[in-house]
Structures are given as structure tokens and as C-alpha cells.
Amino acid sequence: ILVNVLAVSLNPVDYKFPEIPYLGRLITGSPATPSIDFAGRVAAAGPNSGKVSSQDLEPGQLVYGRLDGPTKFGTLAEYTIAPRKGCVPIPAGVSVVDAACAASVALTAYQCIIPKLPRKEGKEGKDGASRVFINGGSGGCGTFGIQIAKAAGCQVTTTCSGGNVPLCESLGADRVIDYRTQDVIAELRKMPLFDLVVDNVGEPRDLYWASPSFTNPRAPYVQTGAPAINLGFVWGNLTKSLWPSWAGGGQRPWEFLKLESKVDDYAQIGRWMQEGKVRAVVDEVFGFGMEGEDQGPVKAFEKLRTGRTRGKIVVKVAEG
């Protein structure tokens, strides 16, 4: 699908992946256009095989979505070419900016939570609700994750800095831990055991290894974020996922989420956004200009790299 891009939301992978020594530049090339998320209008669409969706996308239709991964030809441009499975209609009543925000992080949050929740047959009400811990509740994945978990009927505990506690509570979090003033692991150990852990941060570094002390047996530990992607990060992941538990490996099922664009998942996210159960949290919207003092994309990435954003950062490419 050829898309006339109207807005792009930024993700840490946009800069972390190209900065992987040797491998990053080998895959994306240099120079390269960054970003994988977009919202815009269909400029042209190829024949619909029906394998991904029976719904045709028409020129002029508002759509949003994501590319499969970082590439030389990213979405921070006037036009992008998107795979059909990663390009879906913007739900009625949802703005272009909000849709761009949801493209990757809402899908990530959905796939970290909904398929991983344990089945609790015969249990209803608060006492039977699954308990979910989301490490990092004020960023893109976290803000959507809190809302998606609540929409699924879960009890949610999350972490953030003190200044973002009201935000996380407003999104529905039942308990918020201030990681700057509290010992996260010690606080988790005081609570009833959790059924699922979603780690959007990768810190504290020993969070996974301590998880048997605050999770139920076989509770999944799904990681989406890390301070840096390097050889130490890769080796640590191999130890968690492949090393036998009796030899010092992980005691809980661990995975680094492999995000996959799915039309059905987007459809459910869209319904929740229309119903008001899930909303985008926008930190700041930047312009697309690169002349004079504007430098919108540069300033947007500078802010993203601070790691201190509330929700999503968006670059508005054009008026829609």
C-alpha cells in the first residue's frame, strides 16, 4: 500500500537498532530514513489477495500502521510503502495523531498481554482477575498496556517516576510504584503473586531473576525494552531463555516479544479506542520542517533519547 504520510510516531527502536555495532547499519544502510510507524491516506493500493484481509483499502482512505522493522526506507517521509497486514483503516472518531501513536506500541502492549493471560475458568469479579505487573507505565507501551490490561479485566501494578504517578493512575493502574524512591522488587514481594510480567524497561537488571519471588509458577515474563542492544544484552537473553533452570538458567518462561502485525489485533485495539476504553497519550507533536530553527524531527529524536517521555512523541508530516 502506498501511503501519503500525515503523521509519524517515534519509537526507541528507530535509533537503537541502527546503532547496533556493525549489524544495524548493515541492515538499514546509510544514509537511511528512520521510523516504522505512520498514519496517512492511501495513495495507491495493489490487488487484494484476501490472504490478510477481505477489506479493500481505497485511495484517499485514512489508514495507520507499521512497517515490519527498521529499513533503509522508513516512514519519516512524505510517502511510504506499507505491507497490507501492517496497514489498517483509522477507526471513526480517532484522530490521525492518535492513530499514529497506536501503530506499534498499542499492538506491542496487546500482544504482550492478551495472548499471555492465564485462563481462570469459573472465577469472576475482582478476586478472580489476573494480576499483571507492567514495568514502565508512563511510556508508549506502558500507557497503552495499562489500559489494555484494564479493558481485559486485570488488576494492574506498574512503575514510573513520582511525577508520572497521577498519569498512570488516571489510565487505570491499581497500584503504582515510584522507582526513584522505592525498591521495586521489595515492593512487589509484598503483594499477592502476579500472573504476568511485562517489562518495558529492562531495569532493574535483576528484575527477571527475582521474579520467582513475586510471580506464580509458570507466569510469563515478556520483555519489550532494554537500556541498550549489545552483546551483553544478547547473552543475557540466551541465558534466560535457553539455559536449563537447574544449571542457573531462568525459573520463569521468558521471551523478548517478536511483534507481528495482525489485522485482527488492530481491529480490537480500534474498537477499544472508539469505545473510549483505550486512548493515546501524546507527549509532544513536532513539525516536519528541517530549515532554520524548526528542525522538528531532530528535536523529536533528541527528546526521545532522553528516555523521559510521557506517552508518545509524534512528528506531523502534513495536514490531513
Side-chain angles (χ1 to χ4, degrees):
I1 309 295
L2 179 64
V3 178
N4 180 196
V5 178
L6 301 177
V8 172
S9 65
L10 307 187
N11 299 291
V13 71
D14 294 341
Y15 70 86
K16 286 185 177 181
F17 189 90
E19 291 178 354
I20 299 174
Y22 308 111
L23 179 62
R25 287 300 183 185
L26 181 65
I27 294 177
T28 63
S30 180
T33 302
S35 299
I36 61 174
D37 291 359
F38 67 88
R41 290 189 182 275
V42 174
N48 184 5
S49 67
K51 293 181 179 179
V52 174
S53 173
S54 59
Q55 182 180 15
D56 291 330
L57 296 179
E58 303 293 338
Q61 187 173 4
L62 286 171
V63 292
Y64 76 110
R66 61 185 293 274
L67 308 185
D68 289 331
T71 175
K72 183 177 180 64
F73 303 104
T75 59
L76 194 57
E78 293 179 347
Y79 289 88
T80 192
I81 298 177
R84 178 61 183 88
K85 65 178 181 178
C87 186
V88 296
I90 293 179
V94 177
S95 72
V96 168
V97 168
D98 285 356
C101 291
S104 281
V105 293
L107 190 66
T108 297
Y110 184 95
Q111 293 181 8
C112 280
I113 296 170
I114 300 303
K116 313 297 183 183
L117 291 174
R119 294 184 179 276
K120 294 192 172 185
E121 297 180 1
K123 293 187 177 183
E124 297 180 356
K126 189 174 181 180
D127 292 339
S130 295
R131 293 180 51 80
V132 178
F133 169 55
I134 298 174
N135 189 33
S138 60
C141 289
T143 51
F144 274 106
I146 292 169
Q147 297 175 88
I148 287 172
K150 294 304 294 182
C154 301
Q155 294 184 54
V156 179
T157 296
T158 191
T159 61
C160 66
S161 61
N164 290 325
V165 169
L167 168 65
C168 291
E169 290 177 339
S170 73
L171 296 174
D174 299 286
R175 175 74 184 274
V176 184
I177 301 170
D178 180 353
Y179 69 85
R180 289 182 174 174
T181 61
Q182 297 175 284
D183 183 320
V184 173
I185 294 173
E187 292 299 315
L188 293 173
R189 286 171 173 162
K190 298 175 184 177
M191 303 178 192
L193 298 179
F194 290 91
D195 300 300
L196 170 65
V197 175
V198 177
D199 187 356
N200 297 318
V201 185
E203 292 182 333
R205 296 296 179 96
D206 58 344
L207 184 65
Y208 169 75
W209 299 106
S211 64
S213 66
F214 58 81
T215 60
N216 284 311
R218 305 304 301 168
Y221 188 108
V222 187
Q223 189 165 346
T224 69
I229 302 175
N230 50 36
L231 291 177
F233 168 75
V234 173
W235 174 251
N237 291 351
L238 291 174
T239 303
K240 295 171 187 174
S241 58
L242 300 178
W243 209 256
S245 58
W246 56 264
Q251 303 293 317
R252 292 292 185 269
W254 177 93
E255 67 172 290
F256 198 93
L257 183 73
K258 187 180 185 300
L259 185 60
E260 182 180 355
S261 298
K262 293 183 178 180
V263 170
D264 290 343
D265 291 357
Y266 273 128
Q268 180 59 69
I269 293 166
R271 284 192 290 270
W272 279 333
M273 293 183 78
Q274 283 183 305
E275 294 167 0
K277 294 180 178 179
V278 173
R279 64 179 175 88
V281 176
V282 183
D283 183 292
E284 190 170 354
V285 178
F286 292 84
F288 190 55
M290 288 297 293
E291 297 180 358
E293 296 182 358
D294 187 355
Q295 298 286 304
V298 174
K299 292 179 180 178
F301 271 102
E302 287 175 347
K303 183 165 187 176
L304 178 68
R305 294 174 76 104
T306 67
R308 295 290 180 263
T309 59
R310 292 163 52 96
K312 294 293 291 179
I313 293 174
V314 176
V315 175
K316 197 167 186 179
V317 176
E319 296 294 332

